[in-house]
C-alpha cells in the first residue's frame, strides 16, 4: 500500500521521493491563474461575479456576507463549546508567543532602534464551499487579532446555500465581521488589488488549493502573503514502544485530506512497518474517507527503515516535514536534535490532530521542505518594524568622515556630501539655527 | 525640476504619482528572467559560464573566488578603518536587536511552545561589476552571522578584473569565504537551485537590479527571499526650521542612485520648496553624478505643499516610504505618528546616509509602499521556529472529545479517530505500554 525504502542502502530512491514534492506548480497553472488575476484587475466586481458563477456554480446577489448571516448561522451547542475551547487555548498561546517589541539602544548621544506596529488590514483565506473549516478561521484570525490588526477581512467560497454556516459562525466568534463570499484565485486577487466593493488588504494568509497558492505567488509584492503551501505532510519517527494503531491513525488523519497528502513513517523498530500496514488495512475498512486516503498512501506514502534513532532523526531533518511526530522514548531529547520541522508532536499522547485544532501552535505551517526556512503562522506575521535613527551634531561629527570615505569609494558623492555638508554648515553657521 | 502638488487640493495628481511606483515588473522582464532561470536549471555551471560571458562580458575560468583573492584585495587604510567602524556599529545593533527565542508555556500537564533555530545556509546577493558595495556586504552578512547562520555564501558580478576588490575585502572582513563571481538572475538561480559547483541555499538576501528581483520572485518558494525591492526612495517631512541645503543634499543622495529613484519632499513651511529648488540647482553644479540625479528628480521627484504637520505625517503614512526623514522640531513625537516607513531619521543631524552605512538599522528596506507590511532586513530574517506540543494522557483526555467534534464537523473522520483511538486504547490496554 505504501512504498518502502531502507536507508542508507536505497538513498537514490529516497532522493527521488524528496524530489517529487518540489514541483507542484505547472506552467499551465501559472497561465490559468494569471488570467483570473488579470480579469479581476480589469473588471473588478463584475469579474468576481462571473468567476464565482463559473467556478463555484453560484450567481451571487451580494459579494459581501451580512453580519446577520454570520451571527445567525446554526451550530450545535457542543460544537460551539469545542470551538470556544479552541479559541481560548489559541488566545492563550498567541498572547504569550514571543513577540517583537519596539526597542532602542543609546550609543553616546545617539539612539538607534526599531518601532514596531501591527499591520493595518489583513485578509484571511478560508477554504470552503460545502466543506467547513472553522479551525482555519480560528488559526488565522486569532494571531492576527492578538497582534493588534484592526481590520481583519475574510473570504470564503460560497455553495448554492451561501457560505458554510459553521465557517460563518466561527468568523462571528472571532469577531471578523467583514466577510466576502469568494474563493479561489479571484478571491486572492480581490484582496490584493481591491475592487469597487472590496478595499485591498496589506497581507493575505490562510490555506488554499493550488490556484489560491499560485495567485498568492503572482500577487506577492503588491501584498504580503504568509507562505506558499503545498499538500499537507506528516513524518512519524517511531521507536520500539510506538503503537502501530496510533501510527496508522495519524498517517490516515493526514492521508484523508487530499490524494496529494504526504505520509512518511521512519523507524528502527523491528517488525513495526508490517504491523502498521496491517493496522492501516484494518482502519481503512471503517473509514468514510478511505478512497482519498488510499490514493494518498499509495502515491505519496513512504515507509523508511533505518538502523537507529540517530539515523531516523537525520531523515526527519532532511525531509523537513510540516508535521513531525516523535513517538520515541525520550521525545523532548529527540526534539533537541530537530532543526527543520513545522510543528513537533512529542510522545504517544500528543497526536498531530492536537495541532490541527486546539493545542496552540498554528496549523498554517511550511510544507514541501520549506520548514528549512519558514515558520508556522504567528503574531510575527502581523507585525512589522521601522528602523529609528537619532544622532546629535556631536555624534554625527564622529562618523561623518567615515561615511564620506565609504560613499566616495562606492561612487556616490552626493551621499558623502549629505553627511559632510552638515559639518561644514556647523562651522560656518554656528548659532544661526534653532537646533544648533 | 521636480513636479509639485498641493494637498488636499490636487489629490488626484498625488494618486497618479503613487500609482506610478506600483508596477516595476513588465511582462517582458518575466519571460526574459524565466528563460535565464530555466537555462541554469537545465545546464548548471555551463549556463553560468555562458550567461556571465553574455551579460558581464567576462569568460570566467573559475566560478568560485579563492579566499586568497578576498584576503589580498588592496584597500586604503582609512577606508578599511571606516568599514571596521561600520562593522562594529552593526554588530552592536544586531546583537541587541529584539530576537525571537525558544519559549513554552505549561497548561496543566501539557506544554506548548516554539523551538527557534537559525537557517543553515544563506546566500548574499552583492551588486557590483565595476562599482563596489562594501556596505551591502556588511548590511547582509552581519545580521546573518549574528543570528547564527553557519554557512554564509556570497555572489557578486565580475568585471574583466574579477570581482571588485573593495567588495572582496569587505567579504573577508565579515568572514564570508564562500564567494562566487556571478551576478544577475543567473546568480540567483544558482543559489536557489544549486549547480555542480554551488550547493543550493535556504534563503537569498540583498539588493539587486530588476532582473535579480524578478528571479527572486520566480524562485520564491524553492528558497526564501528577503523582499522584492524596487527603486530606492526618500520622503522628507520638513518644518519651519528645516534647512534647504540639508534637504537638497539628502534628496540628491537618493536621486544619484538611479534614474528611477524616488524623492519626495513634504512641507508646510512657507517658501521652503523654492529654497530647496534653488539649493538643488546649486548642488547639482558640482556633482559628478548629476545626470542621473537630474533624471530621477524630473521623472520621479515630487514637492508636496500641505497645510500643517499633521497633514504632512498623513502623506508620509500614505506613501509608506523606504526612508523617511523628519526634519521637524519634535521629531520623536512625530515618529510616534508614523506607522509605515522602512527607516525613520530624526532631526537635522541624522541624515539618511547614516542608515546607508553605519548607524545600525539595515539599508535593505521595503520600497514601493511595501513598508505597509514589511520590515528592513534583520536577524529575524535568519531565524525560524518549529511549534512544540506535548500532552500527557490526562490532558489529551480533556480535549480529545472536542477534537472529535470539530474534526467530524469538518468531514475528517480519521482526524477524530486519531484523538479518540488513544482514549479507547487506554481503557482497553491499561498498563500494557510503557508510557501508560
Amino acid at each position: 500500500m505504501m512504498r518502502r525504502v531502507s536507508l542508507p542502502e536505497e538513498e537514490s530512491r529516497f532522493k527521488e521521493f524528496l524530489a517529487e514534492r518540489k514541483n507542484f506548480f505547472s506552467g499551465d497553472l501559472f497561465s490559468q491563474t494569471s488570467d483570473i488575476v488579470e480579469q479581476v484587475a480589469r473588471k473588478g466586481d463584475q469579474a468576481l461575479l462571473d468567476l464565482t458563477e463559473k467556478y463555484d456554480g453560484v450567481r451571487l446577489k451580494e459579494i459581501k456576507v451580512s453580519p446577520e448571516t454570520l451571527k445567525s448561522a446554526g451550530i450545535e451547542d457542543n460544537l460551539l463549546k469545542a470551538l470556544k475551547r479552541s479559541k481560548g487555548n489559541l488566545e492563550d498561546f498567541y498572547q504569550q508567543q514571543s513577540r517583537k517589541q519596539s526597542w532602542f539602544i543609546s550609543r553616546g548621544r545617539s539612539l538607534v532602534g526599531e518601532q514596531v506596529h501591527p499591520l493595518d488590514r489583513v485578509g484571511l483565506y478560508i477554504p470552503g464551499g460545502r466543506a467547513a473549516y472553522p479551525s482555519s478561521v480560528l488559526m488565522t484570525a486569532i494571531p492576527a487579532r492578538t497582534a493588534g490588526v484592526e481590520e481583519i477581512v475574510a473570504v470564503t467560497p460560497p455553495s448554492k446555500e451561501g457560505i458554510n454556516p459553521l465557517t460563518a459562525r466561527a468568523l462571528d466568534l472571532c469577531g471578523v465581521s467583514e466577510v466576502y463570499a469568494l474563493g479561489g484565485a479571484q478571491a486572492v486577487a480581490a484582496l490584493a488589488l481591491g475592487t469597487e466593493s472590496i478595499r485591498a488588504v496589506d497581507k493575505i494568509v490562510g490555506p488554499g488549493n493550488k490556484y489560491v497558492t499560485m495567485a498568492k505567488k503572482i500577487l506577492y509584492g503588491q501584498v504580503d502573503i504568509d507562505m506558499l503551501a503545498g499538500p499537507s505532510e506528516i513524518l512519524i519517527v517511531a521507536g520500539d514502544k510506538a503503537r502501530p494503531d496510533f501510527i496508522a491513525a495519524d498517517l490516515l488523519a493526514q492521508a484523508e485530506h487530499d490524494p496529494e497528502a504526504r505520509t512518511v513513517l521512519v523507524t528502527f523498530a523491528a517488525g513495526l512497518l508490517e504491523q502498521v500496514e496491517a493496522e492501516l488495512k484494518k482502519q481503512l475498512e471503517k473509514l468514510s474517507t478511505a478512497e482519498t486516503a488510499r490514493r494518498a498512501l499509495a502515491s505519496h506514502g513512504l515507509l523508511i527503515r533505518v538502523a537507529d534513532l540517530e539515523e531516523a532523526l537525520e531523515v526527519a531533518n532532511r525531509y523537513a516535514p510540516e508535521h513531525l511526530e516523535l513517538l520515541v522514548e525520550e521525545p523532548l531529547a529527540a526534539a533537541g536534535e530537530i532543526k527543520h520541522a513545522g510543528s513537533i508532536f512529542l510522545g504517544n499522547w500528543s497526536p498531530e490532530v492536537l495541532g490541527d485544532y486546539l493545542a496552540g501552535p498554528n496549523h498554517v505551517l511550511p510544507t514541501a521542505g520549506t520548514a528549512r526556512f519558514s515558520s508556522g503562522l504567528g503574531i510575527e506575521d502581523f507585525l512589522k518594524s521601522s528602523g529609528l535613527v537619532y544622532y546629535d551634531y556631536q555624534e554625527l561629527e564622529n562618523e561623518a568622515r567615515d561615511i564620506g570615505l565609504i560613499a566616495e569609494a562606492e561612487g556616490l558623492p552626493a551621499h558623502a556630501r549629505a553627511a559632510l555638508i552638515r559639518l561644514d554648515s556647523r562651522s560656518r553657521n554656528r548659532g544661526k539655527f534653532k537646533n544648533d
Side-chain angles (χ1 to χ4, degrees), chain A:
Chain A
M1 174 179 341
M2 292 169 82
R3 282 177 281 178
R4 279 199 199 193
V5 301
S6 288
L7 289 179
E9 300 80 12
E10 298 175 286
E11 172 66 21
S12 65
R13 289 187 57 212
F14 182 55
K15 280 211 174 117
E16 278 165 35
F17 183 79
L18 286 177
E20 282 168 26
R21 71 177 172 157
K22 271 288 171 194
N23 270 322
F24 49 91
F25 286 141
S26 71
D28 210 31
L29 177 63
F30 175 76
S31 64
Q32 280 177 53
T33 312
S34 294
D35 182 55
I36 293 172
V37 170
E38 189 67 24
Q39 287 182 54
V40 175
R42 231 175 35 233
K43 295 188 288 181
D45 283 352
Q46 189 56 52
L48 295 179
L49 294 173
D50 295 347
L51 290 161
T52 301
E53 184 162 19
K54 180 170 172 186
Y55 292 110
D56 302 298
V58 181
R59 188 75 203 175
L60 293 172
K61 285 198 200 72
E62 281 275 12
I63 293 171
K64 186 155 189 204
V65 180
S66 74
E68 297 71 48
T69 305
L70 301 178
K71 274 198 202 315
S72 64
I75 173 174
E76 278 177 36
D77 273 359
N78 276 349
L79 186 52
L80 187 62
K81 261 197 223 154
L83 293 179
K84 284 183 178 168
R85 177 180 204 120
S86 166
K87 181 169 179 259
N89 282 358
L90 295 181
E91 282 169 347
D92 196 32
F93 184 84
Y94 293 102
Q95 273 156 19
Q96 299 194 58
Q97 191 179 33
S98 157
R99 162 191 199 116
K100 184 162 189 163
Q101 293 185 304
S102 297
W103 67 282
F104 69 92
I105 48 174
S106 299
R107 211 164 41 208
R109 298 162 59 93
S110 72
L111 172 162
V112 287
E114 286 174 288
Q115 180 166 289
V116 177
H117 282 291
L119 306 193
D120 280 353
R121 184 170 165 85
V122 163
L124 316 180
Y125 186 93
I126 310 298
R130 278 191 210 171
Y133 295 102
S135 60
S136 294
V137 174
L138 297 168
M139 289 286 180
T140 53
I142 291 169
R145 179 79 67 211
T146 308
V149 176
E150 285 188 8
E151 297 180 26
I152 304 176
V153 181
V155 292
T156 190
S159 71
K160 291 217 162 54
E161 292 76 40
I163 73 164
N164 185 290
L166 198 47
T167 301
R169 194 59 183 270
L171 286 164
D172 182 60
L173 188 64
C174 294
V176 181
S177 57
E178 185 180 346
V179 178
Y180 301 96
L182 295 169
Q186 60 273 24
V188 175
L191 288 175
L193 305 172
T195 68
E196 299 90 324
S197 62
I198 302 177
R199 261 192 316 119
V201 301
D202 298 311
K203 180 163 186 166
I204 301 171
V205 304
N209 65 20
K210 60 187 179 177
Y211 296 95
V212 168
T213 304
M214 181 49 99
K216 282 161 102 176
K217 176 158 171 128
I218 290 170
L219 290 157
Y220 168 55
Q222 301 260 356
V223 73
D224 197 18
I225 62 172
D226 51 352
M227 64 185 73
L228 300 172
S232 198
E233 306 169 336
I234 192 167
L235 185 147
I236 301 177
V237 172
D240 293 314
K241 313 280 182 198
R243 299 180 45 152
D245 52 345
F246 293 5
I247 296 171
D250 295 346
L251 292 173
L252 289 173
Q254 207 59 220
E256 75 172 341
H257 269 292
D258 178 351
E260 296 275 314
R262 267 74 174 154
T263 46
V264 183
L265 170 61
V266 189
T267 189
F268 46 91
L272 186 68
L273 298 184
E274 291 73 17
Q275 292 171 309
V276 170
E277 286 207 305
E279 266 294 331
L280 283 170
K281 271 192 198 119
K282 200 171 106 191
Q283 293 186 23
L284 274 163
E285 278 168 25
K286 291 169 285 183
L287 187 65
S288 59
T289 53
E291 200 192 318
T292 302
R294 260 186 241 278
R295 285 172 57 200
L297 294 174
S299 310
H300 303 291
L302 192 66
L303 302 171
I304 304 179
R305 185 84 171 83
V306 293
D308 53 29
L309 178 61
E310 196 187 335
E311 283 187 25
L313 298 177
E314 196 191 314
V315 168
N317 274 320
R318 286 182 64 193
Y319 193 76
E322 181 189 16
H323 303 107
L324 172 65
E325 282 187 2
L326 296 173
L327 304 181
V328 297
E329 291 197 52
E330 294 184 273
L332 201 51
E337 305 281 314
I338 295 299
K339 291 184 77 175
H340 307 303
S343 229
I344 306 171
F345 299 86
L346 305 169
N348 270 343
W349 312 110
S350 312
E352 181 275 330
V353 290
L354 274 170
D356 289 337
Y357 295 120
L358 45 62
N362 218 279
H363 79 196
V364 178
L365 290 170
T367 55
T370 60
R372 289 189 62 83
F373 52 75
S374 16
S375 317
L377 197 67
I379 54 173
E380 294 294 321
D381 279 278
F382 303 103
L383 298 173
K384 46 109 187 175
S385 60
S386 304
L388 217 51
V389 176
Y390 170 77
Y391 274 52
D392 77 347
Y393 176 81
Q394 186 183 310
E395 290 295 333
L396 178 66
E397 193 177 32
N398 289 339
E399 308 206 305
R401 282 171 197 87
D402 284 334
I403 292 175
L405 283 170
I406 305 176
E408 291 288 354
E410 292 193 349
L412 298 170
H415 280 62
R417 182 159 61 193
L420 298 172
I421 197 173
R422 285 165 160 90
L423 265 54
D424 295 348
S425 77
R426 184 68 172 235
S427 40
R428 282 202 317 267
N429 300 309
R430 185 166 298 274
K432 189 167 159 196
F433 294 94
K434 187 175 170 153
N435 294 323
D436 269 19

